[in-house]
Amino acid sequence: GYPLPEIREKTQSIKPVGVGMSGFHTALLLAFRGRVDYGSEAAQKFARATQAYLTLGTLNVSAELADLTDHVYENKPYWSGHLKELSETISELSDDEEALTQLDILSDWVDSRGGFYNCLTTSQAPTGSVSVFLRNIDTGIEPFFALAQNRRVRDADKGWVEFVLRPAELQDLFEKYPDFLERAEAQTALKLSPREQLGMLAAFQYHCHTGVSKTINRPKDATVDDIENLIAESREKRLKGITVYRDSGLDGISSPSDQTATAKPA
């Protein structure tokens, strides 16, 4: 599956793998019953802590694999600083003694072995057509674009199939608690400011080993200046990249999955 032997050799020597998460906005709504808005300071802390624990779990497994195989990709300066940042986040946001103990063990491991089995272990994939096949609209770390979306996909036997996607884990609660539905609707993507969305992206990026794929949604009347300001602010936050979607960016298109434009800060 590698296009060149050199790529195969390099990839298999450093063994990158990207573990991400799915359904973050659902988790946020359930954890706080909708009273913590996506993009708020509390949500950013929740996002940063969630990413920290995900990263910690993957590094524990990567250390186990290194111990079993005696393969280590050494990068001691990076991992020493990274583990220190993980420890600071968990101390600040959760004060979890067990997790802090695990981080101490990993720090000792890096001091003696220089790295882990994998050169990196975490990433965040973009949302996309996979969510359609799962009949769900909450994937990755994005906020809900809407709480009900019409979808049309090609089926090998039935031709085009049309259906409505809804938050699978929340629908019963929405029907039972109308106020919960209202709080969720107030957090949909186009009701969030660019600053709130960039803040969430930065929260996930802080402990993620690769660039995070998260779309910054803007209404159809967003201007060139608006996009330039987003890129400038993303540089200030030291983000590795952003994706900007302007609703109805092309004539006749109003679905967030149809058209995106990617901007990568220098």
Side-chain angles (χ1 to χ4, degrees):
Y2 297 95
L4 294 171
E6 294 84 356
I7 295 176
R8 178 189 179 108
E9 181 180 353
K10 182 65 175 178
T11 301
Q12 291 186 350
S13 70
I14 62 178
K15 295 179 171 55
V17 62
V19 179
M21 69 182 76
S22 184
F24 174 79
H25 200 178
T26 289
L28 179 69
L29 288 167
L30 290 174
F32 299 100
R33 301 296 292 178
R35 292 180 174 84
V36 170
D37 292 341
Y38 188 101
S40 66
E41 183 177 348
Q44 291 177 32
K45 289 182 177 180
F46 185 65
R48 185 171 168 183
T50 302
Q51 182 66 56
Y53 274 97
L54 175 65
T55 301
L56 173 57
T58 62
L59 292 179
N60 277 326
V61 174
S62 193
E64 292 175 7
L65 288 171
D67 197 29
L68 287 170
T69 62
D70 202 31
H71 170 91
V72 173
Y73 179 76
E74 295 188 21
N75 193 358
K76 185 175 179 179
Y78 169 76
W79 288 118
S80 296
H82 183 64
L83 291 170
K84 180 180 179 182
E85 290 173 344
L86 279 171
S87 181
E88 289 171 351
T89 290
I90 291 177
S91 295
E92 175 190 351
L93 301 181
S94 69
D95 195 25
D96 185 338
E97 291 298 330
E98 182 179 352
L100 293 173
T101 299
Q102 292 176 18
L103 284 165
D104 287 340
I105 293 172
L106 291 177
S107 295
D108 292 340
W109 169 273
V110 168
D111 285 341
S112 63
R113 301 294 299 273
F116 294 93
Y117 180 77
N118 311 93
C119 70
L120 59 87
T121 61
T122 54
S123 185
Q124 289 295 349
T127 59
S129 57
V130 171
S131 64
V132 175
F133 297 115
L134 296 176
R135 298 289 181 103
N136 195 8
I137 59 173
D138 184 19
T139 59
I141 60 174
E142 300 284 4
F144 288 112
F145 187 82
L147 298 182
Q149 296 180 32
N150 295 321
R151 282 290 184 268
R152 186 169 177 259
V153 298
R154 185 82 175 183
D155 185 277
D157 299 322
K158 302 176 183 177
W160 288 102
V161 178
E162 297 184 6
F163 50 86
V164 178
L165 289 176
R166 303 181 189 278
E169 298 85 359
L170 299 175
Q171 198 57 39
D172 290 344
L173 291 173
F174 287 162
E175 294 173 2
K176 188 175 182 179
Y177 304 105
D179 59 328
F180 185 43
L181 173 61
E182 291 176 6
R183 288 194 289 268
E185 287 178 333
Q187 301 178 35
T188 49
L190 292 179
K191 296 179 182 178
L192 301 172
S193 70
R195 183 174 297 273
E196 289 171 324
Q197 297 190 55
L198 282 175
M200 293 297 284
L201 177 54
F204 285 109
Q205 182 68 83
Y206 193 73
H207 293 303
C208 189
H209 299 153
T210 63
V212 176
S213 298
K214 190 222 165 302
T215 301
I216 309 300
N217 297 95
R218 301 303 298 128
K220 62 182 180 181
D221 57 357
T223 65
V224 172
D225 287 342
D226 292 335
I227 306 303
E228 287 182 347
N229 291 334
L230 276 173
I231 296 173
E233 187 167 349
S234 69
R235 290 185 64 184
E236 292 174 4
K237 292 181 178 295
R238 300 183 64 81
L239 298 177
K240 294 180 180 179
I242 62 171
T243 299
V244 179
Y245 169 74
R246 189 182 68 169
D247 194 32
S248 303
L250 296 177
D251 290 341
I253 293 178
S254 60
S255 167
S257 63
D258 288 332
Q259 179 68 24
T260 59
T262 300
K264 293 185 177 179

